[in-house]
Amino acid sequence: MAKRTFSTLETFLIFLLVMMTAITVALLSLLFITSGTIENHKDSGNHGFPTTQDTIATQASPVTCTPEPPLFQNFSGYHIGVGRADCTGQVADINLMGYGKSGQNARGILTRLYSRAFIMAEPTGPNRRIVFVSVDIGMISQRLRLEVLNRLQSKYGSLYRRDNVILSGTHTHSGPAGYFQYTIFVIASEGFSNRTFEYMVTGIVKSIEIAHENMKPAKIFINKGDVEGVQINRSPTSYLRNPQSERARYSSNTDKEMLLLKIVDLNGDDMGLISWFAIHPVSMNNSNHLVNSDNMGYASYLFEQEKNKGYLPGQGPFVAAFASSNLGDVSSNILGPHCLNTGESCENAYSTCPIGGPGMCIAKGPGRDMIDSTQIIGRTIYQRAKELYASASQEVTGPLASAHQWVNMTDVTVWLNSTHTAKTCKPALGYSFAAGTIDGVGGLNITQGKTEGDPFWDTIRDQLFGKPSEEIKECHKPKPVLLHTGELSKPHPWHPDIVDVQIITLGSLAITAIPGEFTTMSGRRLREAVQAEFASYGMKNMTIIISGLCNVYSHYITTYEEYQAQRYEAASTIYGPHTLSAYIQLFRGLAKAIATDTVANMSSGPEPPFFKQLIIPLIPNIEDKPPIGRNFGDVLEPVKPKYRVGEVAEVTFVGANPKNSAENRTHQTFLTVEKYENSTAAWQIMYNDASWETRFYWHKGFLGRSNATIEWHIPDTVQPGIYRIRYFGHNRKMEILKPAVILPFEGISSIFEVVTT
């Protein structure tokens, strides 16, 4: 790469940044020296026991502060910052995003969702930095990314930009919907939820801010290894359409390899990790109504709990991101598809049962229920990551670079060979899209693998939306078009035309940010093509990472051969049979630009839109009301006086709609489980709603009345003693001609004893 020289203005700005950093460090040091001790407030209520200390992080270790050297001084490696922030959003009265199942609304919370940010910078130039963010949500929407970039620009200027910031969704199917702008996703979300959108944007930006503020000299080590026993290919007959000579090069019809980056500071202290692995987080099935981060989130939880000893979940300095990869045809329901009514296998090209059809063909995980399956799969992923982390010794070094383009994916000319071209298509969904998958079947009794339309559904479509053009039908063949979304524009376009393609590199490591779900073989082809492109311009032996569900969501990307089978993944490949070839061509262009140091010469492409006046949520806001003679937070069904380990402590309160808590964030959790400590005569928080041992269920009643049930599944590791459960909520108060007011309240259980025998 060409040697970088700096203009007089750039040199002055670098000097100014160094001086500002030094002043900031000095001021922070002075602040810590002069700040006093915050006194914990206590009172003597609640059955003769004092109340909880004000801070939630009662288990946190004492913070010690040692001044760091100025950011770009005395170190030639990377400066790295890590950050984590809550991005949970609405946990009631909103659809869960992933299965597209009507009625699968959130009714509480199993675990919180987090944004995990990692910033890597070169000390030789303040603008040579990259940002990777893994977010515990279904996917990144275009609107989400555009708003995050806008807020980063407002705060940091040109430091964090569209080319050097990657946002990636973990693809949990148990996070809230409602944060999209394209009509098909707004309909699936049953409206646009500004409260969830704002909550997610704020959380993502905050995680980046935390990473930015905590940057310090650090090192990155890379490791790779297979993870066994956690995946199956959910469309094996489609995979078999790929050439036998190509399949013979691989030992499995899924990518088993996990790639992991270990981040430590110069003292050898652990800072965080990023891993990429191809698996669908669908251990929680479409009967679930609790917001949670599924199997990959559980792996993050276990790793962070291990490294952040003494901290509550979601707290502590160590950040562990388990990011998505080419998971398009990869299921975590490893027992495979079976007919619910007969128990027989239904692994066939159409995923259908002899009796009951496709609706009976469902895959299950290894556990006794979906939460157990989630934990089994997540724990196996965590344990393998722990091994790879411990043995990681190959350091990642070298310059940082990034390249990005917006592309109109409806109009890409694809070179099939030196003489023949093909085109991508306007977006359309095929019939098998409505069939769903073995992880979550559709509700229309349509089978996967349909290569012909249905006159009944065609007639309904034509009456509602008009007939698809011959052009779009011809372009998508052999896909029978169910919805010609590329020709629907009211109230806004139904699918994106403009998508992001992006690569960031750290030395010999390249992260490709793909705007959708690549199947196993699609990911392999992209990796090989991008690696070969780098090599042809002198960057040999590059490691190519497929980072999934980044920046904008455009459904699936199958190979051309898989597309012919028209199972769910192919029917959801919205830009037609040559979509993968188009992406390979585009990512090769980015790789060439980085390798030849010509990124500055690239066109940025057509900027995507940011729509106004999106469809409001279908579920209205109403005033919360307690039963007559009751108050919010009153106990309706008390705990028992004593529990043994392995049992479930349960209490029900007079509740209010939890979605209010996404607007008024007075409380940072819906619940705490607290233990009385005799030595300090204080209550210590042991668990909160981010803990996998707790459940928060909201039961919606009539006319604004509702109940909240909290469960604590008492683990074997618990300390015996006296406990209580607290509930934190917000109620909406509405008066005529006045704006609604959201008020915080609390509830508390009676005390109970936990014994081990």
Side-chain angles (χ1 to χ4, degrees), residues 198-224:
E198 282 293 322
Y199 202 113
M200 289 180 174
V201 169
T202 301
I204 294 169
V205 172
K206 184 178 179 181
S207 69
I208 295 172
E209 290 172 349
I210 293 170
H212 176 89
E213 293 163 2
N214 290 287
M215 293 184 72
K216 58 182 175 179
K219 294 186 177 184
I220 304 174
F221 298 91
I222 187 173
N223 207 357
K224 306 174 185 178

Side-chain angles (χ1 to χ4, degrees), residues 427-442:
L429 291 164
Y431 264 79
S432 295
F433 164 77
T437 72
I438 59 172
D439 294 321
V441 298

Side-chain angles (χ1 to χ4, degrees), residues 672-686:
T672 56
V673 178
E674 303 172 4
K675 182 178 184 293
Y676 184 73
E677 295 292 350
N678 289 314
S679 60
T680 59
W683 289 96
Q684 183 179 27
I685 298 175
M686 308 301 293

Side-chain angles (χ1 to χ4, degrees), residues 37-38 194 397 465 477:
T37 303
I38 298 175
N194 193 60
T397 59
F465 308 114
K477 282 185 176 179

